[in-house]
Amino acid sequence: MIKVVIDRDIPFLEGLLEPYAQVTQLEGRAISAADVRDADALVIRTRTRCDARLLQGSRVKTVVTATIGTDHIDSRWCRDNGIEVFNAAGCNARGVLQWVAAVLVQSVHGRGLDPRQLTLGVVGVGNVGSLVERYARIWGFNVICCDPPREEREHCGFLPVEEIFRRADIVTLHVPLDDSTYHLADSRMLSLRKGGMLINASRGEVADTRALADSDKLLALDVWENEPRIDRTLAERALTATPHIAGYSLQGKANASAAAVEILARKYSLPLAGWYPRGVKRTVPQPIAWQELCSSIASHYDIEADSHALKSHPERFEELRNGYRYREEYF
């Protein structure tokens, strides 16, 4: 019987694997080398740093992160040491889309602006960014995009990132964190256009905290440098400040857990292929017009309540995140 160590805050998994595996559930941040020494597989979130310090000398051969990003995993070290790494690509893309939608309604409709008079710049046109691009066009924004890796592969006609920051009234970041995106939004980039707005729902380190604090832009931030010890002044200054929960929809979490289980089922021949959490209704993707979005989003997601909670108690970042009540996707 295989042994699996699981971050206890990954939902829907309690009791599921126990008939087929020896399961240990632990707080993600507290998972130690001793905990994983005789484990075959890990199922984690971003709070567990997977590198030599954790995995050296263990028998772990499979790391599954129930997240889109993998910057908390030393993928090169894992590869060099025969450990396969899997993520849940695209699992919460529609949840992040709807967080961005709530931000746009708050900042555009809430200030009496017309999306048809605004340019929205999408930096990173992957699973999330491509959805934001598609819906933003439906909502009437003039959309411009940047994605250097895709541009190199596909010749999409995307713009350089400097052009996005120079031309867009609103810039929204949806990139992975790596050497090329660390502090992408720095003081130089933010100064290319006066005013405007920056939205970051990718990773905190993609934007320079000091540059954000000194900029003249409206800010909508879901991710932060040094989480969970975030910059309180920056949180207070932001129009919207949430505790890394943009993708925390019920369906997004169900998708991530289902993807993790599918990987384990395939790798270890467990009879759980095709499993999906009971009681979770899969989202039926559909277009939604701007006026309908403006009139409906508040009844599905109160982003101002999330922002108020974090601004009032930034020291409770991790508590607010781990205890978050998942919202339902509706388009």
Side-chain angles (χ1 to χ4, degrees), residues 13-244:
L13 298 186
E14 188 169 355
L16 178 68
L17 296 169
E18 279 77 353
Y20 320 107
Q22 181 184 347
V23 176
T24 301
Q25 293 204 358
L26 299 168
E27 180 188 356
R29 191 180 291 277
I31 294 173
S32 69
D35 296 321
V36 307
R37 185 167 294 118
D38 61 346
D40 300 286
L42 304 183
V43 183
I44 60 169
R45 301 182 305 150
T46 57
R47 291 304 187 246
T48 304
R49 174 67 185 169
C50 280
D51 53 15
R53 181 178 298 181
L54 181 70
L55 299 173
Q56 183 78 56
S58 76
R59 74 178 194 210
V60 171
K61 291 300 177 185
T62 307
V63 173
V64 183
T65 182
T67 62
I68 293 176
T70 59
D71 49 277
H72 53 297
I73 300 172
D74 188 338
S75 297
R76 178 178 295 177
W77 186 91
C78 287
R79 183 181 64 247
D80 291 345
N81 286 273
I83 299 172
E84 291 188 280
V85 174
F86 302 89
N87 68 331
C91 64
N92 62 0
R94 198 160 287 269
V96 178
L97 165 70
Q98 295 186 19
W99 181 90
V100 172
V103 167
L104 292 175
V105 169
Q106 181 186 43
S107 60
V108 176
H109 178 73
R111 293 189 295 144
L113 303 176
D114 185 341
R116 294 172 296 183
Q117 304 301 317
L118 298 173
T119 295
L120 180 84
V122 180
V123 180
V125 194
N127 289 307
V128 176
S130 59
L131 276 179
V132 172
E133 176 197 14
R134 188 183 318 155
Y135 276 83
R137 293 190 192 281
I138 293 171
W139 300 331
F141 290 92
N142 172 42
V143 181
I144 55 178
C145 297
C146 169
D147 192 312
R150 280 195 61 192
E151 181 62 26
E152 184 176 351
R153 293 192 310 267
E154 305 169 37
H155 307 292
C156 306
F158 293 155
L159 298 174
V161 66
E162 290 84 0
E163 281 301 297
I164 300 294
F165 276 86
R166 186 175 290 114
R167 292 169 53 179
D169 301 290
I170 303 168
V171 175
T172 183
L173 304 175
H174 302 289
V175 297
L177 177 62
D178 57 30
D179 291 343
S180 69
T181 61
Y182 177 78
H183 281 188
L184 173 69
D186 59 11
S187 57
R188 182 183 72 85
M189 204 69 72
L190 294 171
S191 67
L192 290 175
R193 180 189 179 104
K194 290 192 176 296
M197 182 175 189
L198 180 76
I199 302 171
N200 189 10
S202 57
R203 284 292 186 267
E205 292 78 8
V206 170
D208 182 340
T209 296
R210 181 171 296 180
L212 293 179
D214 292 341
S215 78
D216 61 356
K217 297 191 182 303
L218 286 177
L219 301 173
L221 304 174
D222 180 61
V223 291
W224 310 77
E225 291 196 280
N226 304 313
E227 292 179 16
R229 296 174 295 278
I230 67 172
D231 187 298
R232 297 184 177 208
T233 302
L234 185 60
E236 182 58 36
R237 157 166 159 32
L239 173 69
T240 305
T242 54
H244 203 154

